[in-house]
Amino acid sequence: MNIQVNGDSREVCEDMTVRGLLRDLELHVAQVAVEINREILEQRDFDTRPLRAGDRVEIMSFIGGGARRGSERGLAGNPLRAVAPRHRRRDAARRDGVPA
């Protein structure tokens, strides 16, 4: 069956769960947030939420970057920030008058 993952078409098995997709993509559950059809999914539901044909999945990874004083810190003292899904970055660019 076909789903969209971060805007790209992807074929997955009929019985694929969100956790299975993350495993196939070699992503660690603790380091991502998942949105399906514009609804954020709780990590506790990754094992039980089956993917369905046509689902639009956005996976946001938490990454470390340049630090500012007082920012939240993750492993190894790196600040955590979420990478926004593609449609949110595009919407923000349009709002700010910047070409996406």
Side-chain angles (χ1 to χ4, degrees), residues 2-14:
N2 191 276
I3 63 171
Q4 294 284 317
V5 179
N6 291 354
D8 296 324
S9 182
R10 183 176 183 90
E11 284 291 321
V12 296
C13 300
E14 291 288 329

Side-chain angles (χ1 to χ4, degrees), residues 4 34-40 49 52-58 87:
Q4 294 284 317
V34 177
E35 181 182 278
I36 298 179
N37 303 324
R38 296 194 174 219
E39 290 186 29
I40 296 173
R49 172 49 162 93
R52 299 178 188 107
D55 274 347
R56 293 182 176 270
V57 181
E58 294 288 339
H87 70 271

Side-chain angles (χ1 to χ4, degrees), residues 4-78:
Q4 294 284 317
V5 179
N6 291 354
D8 296 324
S9 182
R10 183 176 183 90
E11 284 291 321
V12 296
C13 300
E14 291 288 329
D15 61 349
M16 178 76 71
T17 63
V18 172
R19 186 175 298 272
L21 175 64
L22 295 174
R23 186 175 30 251
D24 281 1
L25 296 171
E26 298 180 2
L27 296 171
H28 298 283
V29 172
Q31 298 173 341
V32 298
V34 177
E35 181 182 278
I36 298 179
N37 303 324
R38 296 194 174 219
E39 290 186 29
I40 296 173
L41 188 65
E42 297 287 335
Q43 283 186 355
R44 67 176 176 258
D45 297 328
F46 287 4
D47 285 327
T48 57
R49 172 49 162 93
L51 295 172
R52 299 178 188 107
D55 274 347
R56 293 182 176 270
V57 181
E58 294 288 339
I59 302 171
M60 295 143 287
S61 299
F62 296 100
I63 58 174
R68 282 190 281 155
R69 220 170 258 203
S71 63
E72 292 295 317
R73 298 206 175 262
L75 298 175
N78 292 325

